[in-house]
Amino acid sequence: DAGVTQSPTHLIKTRGQHVTLRCSPISGHKSVSWYQQVLGQGPQFIFQYYEKEERGRGNFPDRFSARQFPNYSSELNVNALLLGDSALYLCASSLGTGGGQPQHFGDGTRLSIL
Amino acid sequence: RKEVEQDPGPFNVPEGATVAFNCTYSNSASQSFFWYRQDCRKEPKLLMSVYSSGNEDGRFTAQLNRASQYISLLIRDSKLSDSATYLCVVNLAGSARQLTFGSGTQLTVLP
């Protein structure tokens, strides 16, 4: 079975541009979460979606937005890119929203801002 | 204070050594606890969940002390393939699937 898939794998943008990152969860998983990981740090929570509704939001500016589609895939959008947005963006899926359920991560999208 | 704090790394140990990682968390309402492993430039992968009674998975043993808000991971008989960054992760009660990660501890097992 396919794991969590993310696209693109790498992306280079310039300041002020916007970007859309995509994620397909494991088949049957209805919950998708997004994380940002900057070099040398652990992943930091951005959003969680379940059944197309936002269930959680981390401490990120409004430039960050996301949505989930009927097939449970998800998009993360970032507007007005800043140099500090350079990071690995990770998507994770799980069956539901129970705290004890393991999350499975995709390979991530490596975003570089010039 | 960070919500999840881990031992500063890196740890460089010889093959066959026993190594222990420690982690503390600040929110007493934390409900679920995990250790994830992350290889260089790869995604985090669940290593093991951590239960109140402590749990073991082969060479790996995890312990949880709720009173001290402390989590540990013990790796026995280290292998070269254990070289990775180990991330301590907690899930707050009521926060659905929001995981809070520590900064990670880098382990290098030397031949």
Side-chain angles (χ1 to χ4, degrees), chain B residues 56-71:
Chain B
E56 188 174 305
D57 183 2
R59 298 181 293 108
F60 299 84
T61 300
Q63 298 279 351
L64 168 64
N65 184 321
R66 286 186 184 270
S68 301
Q69 296 179 203
Y70 171 94
I71 308 162

Side-chain angles (χ1 to χ4, degrees), chain A residues 37 98-99 101 103 106-107, chain B residues 36 38 41 43 91 97 99 103:
Chain A
Q37 186 175 25
Q101 295 181 24
Q103 289 198 11
D107 291 343
Chain B
Y36 275 73
Q38 187 170 28
R41 302 183 73 81
E43 78 279 17
N91 174 242
R97 292 307 297 153
L99 300 179
S103 295

Side-chain angles (χ1 to χ4, degrees), chain A residues 66-109:
Chain A
R67 55 180 175 167
Q68 186 177 33
F69 299 99
N71 66 354
Y72 304 112
S73 67
S74 178
E75 283 182 354
L76 175 69
N77 294 285
V78 188
N79 294 324
L81 288 166
L82 303 173
L83 292 177
D85 295 332
S86 295
L88 177 67
Y89 288 85
L90 294 159
C91 173
S93 76
S94 60
L95 280 170
T97 58
Q101 295 181 24
Q103 289 198 11
H104 302 270
F105 285 84
D107 291 343
T109 293

Side-chain angles (χ1 to χ4, degrees), chain A residues 10 31 33 35 37 40-45 48 55 57 88 90 94 96-108 110, chain B residues 2 31-34 36 38 40-46 49 51 85 87 91-92 94-104:
Chain A
H10 294 84
S31 175
S33 297
Y35 293 83
Q37 186 175 25
Q41 298 294 318
Q44 188 172 359
F45 174 75
Q48 190 240 349
R55 291 297 188 95
R57 185 183 184 111
L88 177 67
L90 294 159
S94 60
T97 58
Q101 295 181 24
Q103 289 198 11
H104 302 270
F105 285 84
D107 291 343
R110 197 164 297 278
Chain B
K2 289 184 179 179
Q31 189 176 51
S32 305
F33 309 89
F34 310 91
Y36 275 73
Q38 187 170 28
C40 187
R41 302 183 73 81
K42 296 284 190 179
E43 78 279 17
K45 292 185 178 178
L46 179 66
S49 301
Y51 303 115
T85 295
L87 297 160
N91 174 242
L92 294 176
S95 65
R97 292 307 297 153
Q98 176 180 340
L99 300 179
T100 302
F101 287 77
S103 295

Side-chain angles (χ1 to χ4, degrees), chain B residues 67-89:
Chain B
S68 301
Q69 296 179 203
Y70 171 94
I71 308 162
S72 66
L73 176 68
L74 184 75
I75 305 176
R76 291 182 300 277
D77 189 23
S78 300
K79 311 292 184 190
L80 295 177
S81 58
D82 293 335
S83 297
T85 295
Y86 290 83
L87 297 160
C88 176
V89 186

Side-chain angles (χ1 to χ4, degrees), chain B residues 22-34:
Chain B
N22 302 317
C23 169
T24 57
Y25 59 95
S26 61
N27 193 320
S28 59
S30 297
Q31 189 176 51
S32 305
F33 309 89
F34 310 91

